[in-house]
Amino acid sequence: MEIIILPDAAEVGRVAGAKIASIVAGRPQAVIGLATGSSPQGIYKELARRVQEDSLSFTEARGFALDEYVGIPADHPESYASVITREVVAPLGFEPSRVRVPDGRAADLAAAAKEYDRAIAEAGGIDVQILGIGSNGHIGFNEPTSSFASRTRIKTLAPKTRQDNARFFDSPDQVPTHCMTQGLGTILEARELVLVAQGAGKADAVAAAVEGPLSAFVPGSALQLHEHATVVIDEAAASGLRLSDYYRYTYDNRPDWQRFE
Ligand code: GLP
């Protein structure tokens, strides 16, 4: 795993954005795994800046969202379908028909989840998956004790996650209780993973995911099984890491072939 520690959240967005941009520049038809939430917003801002200045285009790219709430209308402003349209598809200029979000309103949710994994496979798999991490260690909506082999499926949201996401809704009880999320097994099949985290509230989750034992109790620790995972975090989110000096040294002395900026 490559750990990149940067001074602040703005730098996290800029550098992780540069990483995604380098992948899309090299493969304009790239299939991108799209995360929602606060964490990746800086990435999308950096990518939108490059699109605006005409140095990058997403018109040929495809996108698959990580997850979606179950039981809220697709046109609800906080459905991930709405968030992806507003924060990713529109500013980056994706062709809307080339971006999919799990269908949290399907009559047969289990079948829709299976079909989602099939659609990812049919698109040739995900080239790069953008990830945030929950304060309880979840990635996507794979809550603690999610199997490392799990596929896209329905999950019950942990009380902590509902509490964390209440800020997006008018009141805590409006946060849905269930979701459909790419599984850890699905996520691990992406060719590259880029996880971003900012702030002290993520420090324990980051430390457990990066340096803790592999454990379904910390779904983010699944990244340790991936051969090409990059973790881009600010100082506050890095504050629980034991080997942070080594990660800084490694990044400062990275060979040219590893540079993407
Ligand atoms: C959310 C999402 C995740 C996200 C995580 C962290 O609820 N389902 O994909 O990475 O929890 O959220 P945030 O980035 O808002 O802190």
Side-chain angles (χ1 to χ4, degrees):
M1 207 184 296
E2 185 182 7
I3 320 292
I4 303 177
I5 302 172
L6 298 164
D8 55 35
E11 273 294 280
V12 169
R14 193 186 65 74
V15 171
K19 172 106 189 140
I20 306 298
S22 75
I23 293 167
V24 177
R27 182 169 151 72
Q29 314 82 353
V31 181
I32 305 171
L34 301 165
T36 49
S38 316
S39 310
Q41 284 176 357
I43 294 182
Y44 300 137
K45 197 172 147 207
E46 172 64 17
L47 294 173
R49 190 186 65 73
R50 290 168 185 249
V51 167
Q52 265 161 27
E53 69 179 22
D54 262 352
S55 62
L56 190 67
S57 168
F58 286 85
T59 51
E60 291 177 53
R62 301 187 62 164
F64 285 90
L66 253 185
D67 45 18
E68 174 61 295
Y69 291 115
V70 165
I72 56 173
D75 62 358
H76 186 290
E78 292 308 326
S79 76
Y80 285 170
S82 298
V83 173
I84 290 281
T85 300
R86 193 169 63 231
E87 296 180 1
V88 184
V89 174
L92 271 53
F94 270 97
E95 167 61 45
S97 64
R98 294 170 74 81
V99 177
R100 281 196 57 173
V101 179
D103 184 358
R105 292 166 312 124
D108 186 340
L109 289 164
K114 263 205 165 67
E115 201 277 322
Y116 198 69
D117 271 354
R118 210 166 31 238
I120 291 173
E122 276 166 14
I126 288 174
D127 289 301
V128 59
Q129 175 66 58
I130 298 169
L131 295 166
I133 187 165
S135 60
N136 67 356
H138 74 216
I139 54 173
F141 268 138
N142 292 282
E143 299 287 25
T145 73
S146 287
S147 164
F148 283 178
S150 52
R151 312 299 309 175
T152 300
R153 70 210 184 291
I154 305 304
K155 285 293 286 179
T156 305
L157 294 175
K160 176 74 176 121
T161 301
R162 293 190 68 225
Q163 195 184 317
D164 286 351
N165 286 8
R167 68 190 193 279
F168 295 115
F169 293 83
D170 292 335
S171 71
D173 56 306
Q174 284 181 12
V175 184
T177 53
H178 290 78
C179 63
M180 188 183 293
T181 181
Q182 285 188 35
L184 294 175
T186 316
I187 292 168
L188 288 174
E189 281 171 6
R191 285 182 269 282
E192 192 164 344
L193 306 179
V194 176
L195 183 144
V196 283
Q198 308 89 349
K202 299 292 175 70
D204 289 347
V206 167
V210 171
E211 295 180 338
L214 263 183
S215 168
F217 195 71
V218 181
S221 68
L223 262 70
Q224 296 176 33
L225 294 169
H226 198 278
E227 66 176 350
H228 198 171
T230 306
V231 173
V232 189
I233 50 182
D234 67 4
E235 291 285 354
S239 59
L241 292 170
R242 284 174 295 171
L243 288 183
S244 50
D245 287 347
Y246 171 63
Y247 309 139
R248 284 194 190 88
Y249 178 84
T250 303
Y251 185 62
D252 291 345
N253 293 284
R254 64 199 186 284
D256 282 345
W257 57 263
Q258 224 176 32
R259 293 175 189 264
F260 50 83
E261 295 186 83

